[in-house]
Every structure is written in structure tokens, then in C-alpha cells.
């Protein structure tokens, strides 16, 4: 019987590949075959060695090197995406399952921003507050559905997008994709870690006051025995860096499990205790600001409130990365598992955030501030009549949640740093280099947190800039990649949502700048 030649593709389609160049192929037979890899700038010869089914193995020999050792063809710029994925921390382990997906999504989807939701209700009122919260939840859930489905290979290609930036490049092209995607992805990774340090540092400081002074109104004890902010930041950062040494995204599943439990537990504890304790006297549901006569001031207040709501939903920059931890097989595509995980996790998120916003506003009204959130309002109202155990538990849960969220938000930055190393060195990142990258990242985020402890005041401004990553880009990505029929329902829906999100982003930035111009910015550099 004659041997049947089998054509083998070296590389999968990738947004980083230049599709104008000829794709390398080879004819695999029991005999030794000659292969020429053609690129625009080089021609590399190699052989495929087969032992006809006997021992000793077989493989591609390039310039005398086995392919397992010579993973990059020098001079041609060819590098197998599968090898890269096997070496990078996001896709190094594809052993995830629906449980790990749920924990990762919950840990990344519920954060300290949710504690400020009642602030939006002060401006918008009950009805419009609930309507805006429901619309924002539905909109961001739809864009997650888009991302989950766009991650899967399109018919005719083998491309699986496991990173938001790569999907942006595939949809918008290398230049525009990087221009639109790099800043929001990196900010939502590194910037979120900085915000976690600032928020957790304040919570550690308050926790220390509870332990030493017992909470309450003893300002003399508080001032005499409080921890410096820098020390609190440093304590949190050191522990966070240690946790972040876990090698890959799949390995932090247990950390995300702890983060999920503490996130849901702390939010539920706050609104449940608030209802149990009842409303304090003289609670007002109107803004503490003077009545606005200027239309621009009213405009700024309304859109800042909308900004608080839309920015409470986070984690879109991690959806594709989380899906990248799932294995690929024909019987159970990762998209189906991912969507089941999204359904479960966002049902829990809805059951957490909606009561938190509604009950928190009912209990405290305008006593909830944008910087402090519900946790500060609870301390202000009930700090003098609650036991150390209750108060301490709430702040411990908040700190643990911040620690658990740090590694999953830092993972895209770790992945990008190692990608640059692998691209330059053409080999796996050694453990000591990986440790150095993560130590450097932790030190950098600590420095930024200490240097700019007022970054929370700039949250609406930067959030408005990064908002398209959640609400806009996925809609345009769907049109670009899936190419629905022009003037069809999906085409119009995604075009309308994309344009509306773009306008909303611009308006939120303008409103944030206007409010900063009116109220000023307390820029306490290096004084956390």
C-alpha cells in the first residue's frame, strides 16, 4: 500500500502573523522529506525525520536542531503561537472548569466600586437609579456574551483568542487594535492593583483602630495609636506579592475562591446588618450639595451618578483570559462551559449588587460618600454601638478580598511582561525572571499608590476613558469579526450600542473634568 501524504501546518492563524506571507507546509511521509519555509526575508531549510513507526520518535529538524529545542527560526521572525501560549501564565495551564470560571468571575466582578452604588441613587432617585442599574447590568452582560463567543475559533481558522488585546488586534488591525486596547487593558490591570493597595491600606488602618481602640468616637486614642498609611500600604503589598508568585491563572483558583466568598460575604453582611439596625434618625435621600441652578452642574451630577453605576461592573478585561484556562475539545467547546460559568456567576453578582445598592441607599441615604462607600457609612453610623467582632469582621473580609483580587488583576501585566521576554529571548521565562517581574510590578504599584493616594478621586475620569473596553469595543468587534448581514438586527443592535457607549464615554469624561474643576482636587502627593 502506498503512503498517503499528510499536509501539516506549522502555525495556527494568529492576529500577530503576517497573512500576506506564504504559510509554511510540509509533506509528511515515512521517508525523510525536505522542507523549505518561505518568508519575505529568509528561507530556512529543515527535514522531517520519521522512523516509520519504530522507536526513537520523529520530529522536525531545523538547521540541525530538533524542533523541541529550536522553537524559533532565527532571522525569519517565526514563532509558534502554541508554544507561546504554553509558556505564558494566562494559558500555561488549560485545566480549568466551570467551578474555576465561576470563582474567577466572582472575584474579578465584585469590587470596592460596588460600595459606592448608593451614591448614584442620591442624584438619580429610586426609580431612575434602579432603571440605570438594570440597563447597565444587561448591557455589560450582553458584551460578555459577545466576548465569550468571539473567543472561539471562527470557521475556517484555528485562532482561539485568549487575551483581550489579541482579540482587539484581530478585529481592528495591529495598529488600531493596539492603540485602542493597550491603555485600558493595562490600566485595568495595573491601575486596579494600585487602587486595591490604596483601598486596602485604608481598611487596614481602620482595622488597626478597631483592634486597639475598639472603634467608636475615641479620637484621642485613634490619633495616638493609628498606623501610618505608608506602613499599611507596605504590609498589603508584601502579602499581595507573595500571593502573586503563583505561576499561572489556573493556579490561583483557590485564591479566587477566597476572594469570591469574601466579596459576596462582605457585601451581604453590610446590607443585611444595615436593614437589621434600621435607618438612623434624620436620614435624607437628597443630595448634600446646594440646589443646582446651573444646568452644567446638574449635568455633571447626573452623569457622575451614571458613571458610578456603569463602572461598578468590572472584569471584562479578564473574561477572555479566564476562558483561556479552559481546555479545547470537540465534545465540550470552552465557550459553552464559559457561558454556563458566566450565567451562574452573574446571577450571584446581581443578587449581591442590587440589594447592596437599594438597601444601602434606604439605610443611609446621602450619608454614603463616593470615597468611603457603604463601609465608611456603616462605621460612621454604627461604629459606636457595634462590637469589635462585627466591625473587625467586616474590615477583615474587605482586606482579604483585596488581597485575593490582586493576583487575578495583575495577571495580564505579568503575561505581557513575560511575552516581551519570550519574544526577545526565544525561550521560556525562567523562574527567577518571573519572580523579578512580579516583584518589580508590586514595587511599582506600591510606589504609585504612595505617590498618588488621591487616585480614587480621579476614578470617574479614568473610568470614563476605559469604559469603551466594557461597553463599546465588544460591539464593534462583533461587527468586524462575525460580519452580520448589513442592516440586519444584530448589525443595528451592535452599531447602536457601540455608538451610544462612545458618546457616553465622552460625556462621562467631560462631566468628571467639570466636577474636578468645580470642587478641586486634594492632591496629597506622598501623604497617604
Amino acid at each position: 500500500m502506498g503512503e498517503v501524504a499528510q499536509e501539516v501546518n506549522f502555525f495556527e492563524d494568529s492576529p500577530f502573523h503576517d497573512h500576506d506571507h506564504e504559510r509554511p507546509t510540509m509533506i509528511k511521509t515515512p521517508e525523510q522529506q525536505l522542507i523549505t519555509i518561505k518568508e519575505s526575508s529568509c528561507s530556512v531549510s529543515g527535514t522531517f525525520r520519521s522512523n516509520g513507526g519504530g522507536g526513537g520518535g520523529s520530529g522536525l529538524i531545523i538547521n540541525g536542531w530538533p524542533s523541541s529545542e529550536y522553537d524559533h527560526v532565527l532571522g525569519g521572525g517565526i514563532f509558534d503561537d502554541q508554544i507561546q501560549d504554553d509558556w505564558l501564565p494566562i494559558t500555561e495551564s488549560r485545566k480549568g472548569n466551570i467551578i474555576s470560571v465561576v470563582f474567577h468571575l466572582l472575584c474579578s466582578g465584585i469590587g470596592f466600586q460596588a460600595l459606592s452604588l448608593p451614591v448614584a441613587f442620591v442624584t438619580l432617585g429610586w426609580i431612575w437609579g434602579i432603571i440605570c442599574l438594570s440597563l447597565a447590568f444587561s448591557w455589560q452582560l450582553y458584551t460578555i456574551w459577545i466576548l465569550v463567543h468571539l473567543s472561539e475559533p471562527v470557521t475556517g481558522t484555528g485562532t482561539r483568542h485568549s487575551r483581550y488585546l489579541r482579540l482587539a488586534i484581530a478585529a481592528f488591525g495591529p495598529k488600531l487594535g493596539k492603540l485602542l486596547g493597550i491603555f485600558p487593558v493595562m490600566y485595568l490591570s495595573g491601575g486596579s492593583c494600585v487602587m486595591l493597595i490604596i483601598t486596602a491600606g485604608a481598611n487596614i488602618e481602620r482595622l488597626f483602630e478597631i483592634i486597639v481602640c475598639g472603634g467608636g468616637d475615641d479620637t484621642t486614642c485613634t490619633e495616638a495609636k493609628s498606623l501610618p498609611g505608608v506602613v499599611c500600604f507596605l504590609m498589603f503589598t508584601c502579602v499581595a506579592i507573595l500571593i502573586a508568585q503563583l505561576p499561572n491563572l489556573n493556579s490561583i483558583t483557590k485564591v479566587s475562591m477566597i476572594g469570591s466568598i469574601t466579596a459576596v460575604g462582605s457585601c451581604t453582611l453590610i446590607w443585611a446588618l444595615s436593614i437589621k439596625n434600621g435607618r438612623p434618625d434624620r436620614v435624607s435621600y437628597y443630595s448634600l450639595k446646594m440646589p443646582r441652578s446651573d444646568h452644567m452642574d446638574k449635568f455633571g451630577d447626573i452623569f457622575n451618578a451614571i458613571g458610578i453605576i456603569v463602572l461598578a461592573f468590572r472584569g471584562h478585561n479578564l473574561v477572555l483570559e479566564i476562558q483561556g484556562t479552559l481546555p479545547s475539545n470537540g465534545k465540550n467547546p470552552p465557550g459553552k462551559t464559559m457561558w454556563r460559568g458566566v450565567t451562574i456567576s452573574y446571577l450571584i453578582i446581581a443578587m449581591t449588587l442590587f440589594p447592596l445598592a437599594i438597601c444601602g441607599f434606604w439605610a443611609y441615604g446621602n450619608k454614603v460618600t463616593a470615597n468611603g462607600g457603604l463601609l465608611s457609612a456603616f462605621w460612621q453610623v454604627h461604629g459606636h454601638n457595634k462590637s469589635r467582632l462585627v466591625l473587625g469582621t467586616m474590615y477583615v473580609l474587605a482586606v482579604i478580598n483585596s488581597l485575593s483580587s490582586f493576583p487575578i488583576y495583575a495577571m495580564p501585566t505579568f503575561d505581557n511582561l513575560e511575552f516581551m521576554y519570550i519574544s526577545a529571548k526565544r525561550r521560556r521565562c525562567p523562574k527567577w525572571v518571573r519572580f523579578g517581574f512580579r516583584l518589580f510590578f508590586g514595587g511599582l504599584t506600591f510606589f504609585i499608590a504612595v505617590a498618588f493616594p488621591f487616585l480614587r478621586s480621579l476614578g470617574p475620569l479614568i473610568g470614563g476613558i476605559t469604559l469603551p473596553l466594557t461597553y463599546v469595543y465588544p460591539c464593534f468587534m462583533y461587527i468586524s469579526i462575525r460580519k452580520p448581514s448589513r442592516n440586519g438586527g444584530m448589525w443595528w443592535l451592535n452599531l447602536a450600542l457601540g455608538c451610544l457607549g462612545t458618546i457616553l464615554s465622552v460625556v462621562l469624561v467631560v462631566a468628571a473634568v467639570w466636577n474636578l474643576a468645580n470642587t478641586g482636587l486634594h492632591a496629597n502627593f506622598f501623604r497617604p
Side-chain angles (χ1 to χ4, degrees), residues 138-157:
S138 303
W139 189 351
Q140 60 87 35
L141 189 60
Y142 171 69
T143 56
I144 290 180
W145 177 85
I146 291 177
L147 292 175
V148 169
H149 285 78
L150 291 184
S151 173
E152 297 305 303
V154 181
T155 304
T157 72

Side-chain angles (χ1 to χ4, degrees), residues 89 244-247 411 414 418 434-442:
Q245 295 303 321
L246 291 169
M411 198 59 70
F414 297 159
E418 293 190 28
R434 174 174 283 184
F435 174 81
F437 280 151
R438 300 184 181 194
L439 185 64
F440 166 77
F441 174 79

Side-chain angles (χ1 to χ4, degrees), residues 322-335:
I322 294 170
Q323 189 169 346
T325 64
L326 297 174
S328 296
N329 58 72
K331 295 182 179 179
N332 189 22

Side-chain angles (χ1 to χ4, degrees), residues 205 227-237 446 450 526-528:
E205 190 173 356
L227 275 178
V230 176
V231 175
C232 298
F233 286 13
L234 183 60
M235 290 169 58
F236 175 85
T237 306
F446 169 74
V450 172
F526 293 98
R527 286 184 296 171

Side-chain angles (χ1 to χ4, degrees), residues 184-199:
V185 168
M186 289 299 103
Y187 169 76
L188 290 174
S189 176
S192 294
C193 291
V194 172
M195 296 299 296
L196 287 171
I197 294 174
I198 295 173
T199 304

Side-chain angles (χ1 to χ4, degrees), residues 277-345:
N277 295 326
R279 287 184 296 180
D281 296 333
R282 298 178 182 178
V283 169
S284 173
Y285 298 111
Y286 299 98
S287 176
L288 291 173
K289 299 176 182 178
M290 296 297 292
R292 300 286 200 173
S293 57
D294 192 324
H295 292 294
M296 193 63 189
D297 290 337
K298 294 179 181 178
F299 160 85
D301 290 344
I302 291 173
F303 279 96
N304 268 329
I306 294 175
I308 290 172
I309 290 176
V310 298
L311 298 177
F313 299 103
R314 61 179 197 164
H316 280 61
N317 60 310
L318 296 169
V319 170
L320 296 178
E321 285 76 357
I322 294 170
Q323 189 169 346
T325 64
L326 297 174
S328 296
N329 58 72
K331 295 182 179 179
N332 189 22
K336 291 185 177 180
T337 303
M338 183 67 184
W339 184 244
R340 286 198 294 267
V342 169
T343 304
I344 296 171
S345 59

Side-chain angles (χ1 to χ4, degrees), residues 3-328:
E3 297 291 343
V4 179
Q6 178 182 0
E7 184 176 303
V8 180
N9 286 334
F10 272 67
F11 308 106
E12 301 289 345
D13 284 336
S14 167
F16 293 109
H17 291 160
D18 190 344
H19 297 285
D20 294 332
H21 295 159
E22 183 178 342
R23 292 169 57 85
T25 60
M26 72 177 176
I27 305 300
K28 179 181 177 182
T29 65
E31 293 79 22
Q32 194 176 47
Q33 300 289 336
L34 181 65
I35 175 173
T36 301
I37 303 175
K38 294 183 179 179
E39 281 280 301
S40 60
S41 59
C42 72
S43 178
V44 182
S45 295
T47 60
F48 185 87
R49 181 173 297 159
S50 175
N51 292 327
S58 62
L60 175 65
I61 309 299
I62 302 177
N63 290 349
W65 292 81
S67 60
S68 60
E69 299 178 12
Y70 198 90
D71 292 312
H72 182 268
V73 183
L74 296 176
I78 306 171
F79 196 60
D80 194 335
D81 277 355
Q82 184 58 49
I83 294 174
Q84 283 187 350
D85 281 349
D86 291 343
W87 290 353
L88 293 173
I90 286 177
T91 48
E92 189 176 52
S93 172
R94 293 189 187 268
K95 298 179 181 179
N97 52 47
I98 189 171
I99 296 176
S100 65
V101 166
V102 170
F103 286 145
H104 286 321
L105 289 172
L106 285 174
C107 185
S108 61
I110 303 176
F112 57 87
Q113 296 93 336
L115 297 177
S116 298
L117 281 173
V119 178
F121 280 58
V122 175
T123 301
L124 298 175
W126 287 103
I127 296 177
W128 282 109
I130 294 174
I131 290 175
C132 289
L133 185 60
S134 302
L135 289 176
F137 178 81
S138 303
W139 189 351
Q140 60 87 35
L141 189 60
Y142 171 69
T143 56
I144 290 180
W145 177 85
I146 291 177
L147 292 175
V148 169
H149 285 78
L150 291 184
S151 173
E152 297 305 303
V154 181
T155 304
T157 72
T159 305
R160 180 183 176 187
H161 303 291
S162 298
R163 292 162 184 82
Y164 194 103
L165 183 57
R166 292 195 184 184
L167 181 61
I169 292 173
F172 305 130
K175 292 183 179 179
L176 184 59
K178 291 179 181 179
L179 179 65
L180 296 177
I182 285 180
F183 172 75
V185 168
M186 289 299 103
Y187 169 76
L188 290 174
S189 176
S192 294
C193 291
V194 172
M195 296 299 296
L196 287 171
I197 294 174
I198 295 173
T199 304
N203 290 335
I204 291 173
E205 190 173 356
R206 185 59 58 86
L207 178 62
F208 183 80
E209 294 174 9
I210 293 172
I211 295 173
V212 175
C213 303
D217 300 323
D218 190 353
T219 56
T220 304
C221 174
T222 300
E223 293 175 358
K225 299 181 179 180
S226 62
L227 275 178
V230 176
V231 175
C232 298
F233 286 13
L234 183 60
M235 290 169 58
F236 175 85
T237 306
C238 290
V239 179
I241 291 175
L242 288 177
I243 298 174
Q245 295 303 321
L246 291 169
N248 53 62
L249 183 55
N250 196 49
S251 67
I252 64 172
T253 299
K254 292 182 180 179
V255 177
S256 294
M257 178 189 69
I258 296 173
S260 304
I261 295 172
T262 53
V264 175
S266 61
C267 291
T268 304
L269 187 63
I270 290 174
W271 68 257
L273 287 176
S274 299
I275 291 179
K276 179 183 177 182
N277 295 326
R279 287 184 296 180
D281 296 333
R282 298 178 182 178
V283 169
S284 173
Y285 298 111
Y286 299 98
S287 176
L288 291 173
K289 299 176 182 178
M290 296 297 292
R292 300 286 200 173
S293 57
D294 192 324
H295 292 294
M296 193 63 189
D297 290 337
K298 294 179 181 178
F299 160 85
D301 290 344
I302 291 173
F303 279 96
N304 268 329
I306 294 175
I308 290 172
I309 290 176
V310 298
L311 298 177
F313 299 103
R314 61 179 197 164
H316 280 61
N317 60 310
L318 296 169
V319 170
L320 296 178
E321 285 76 357
I322 294 170
Q323 189 169 346
T325 64
L326 297 174
S328 296

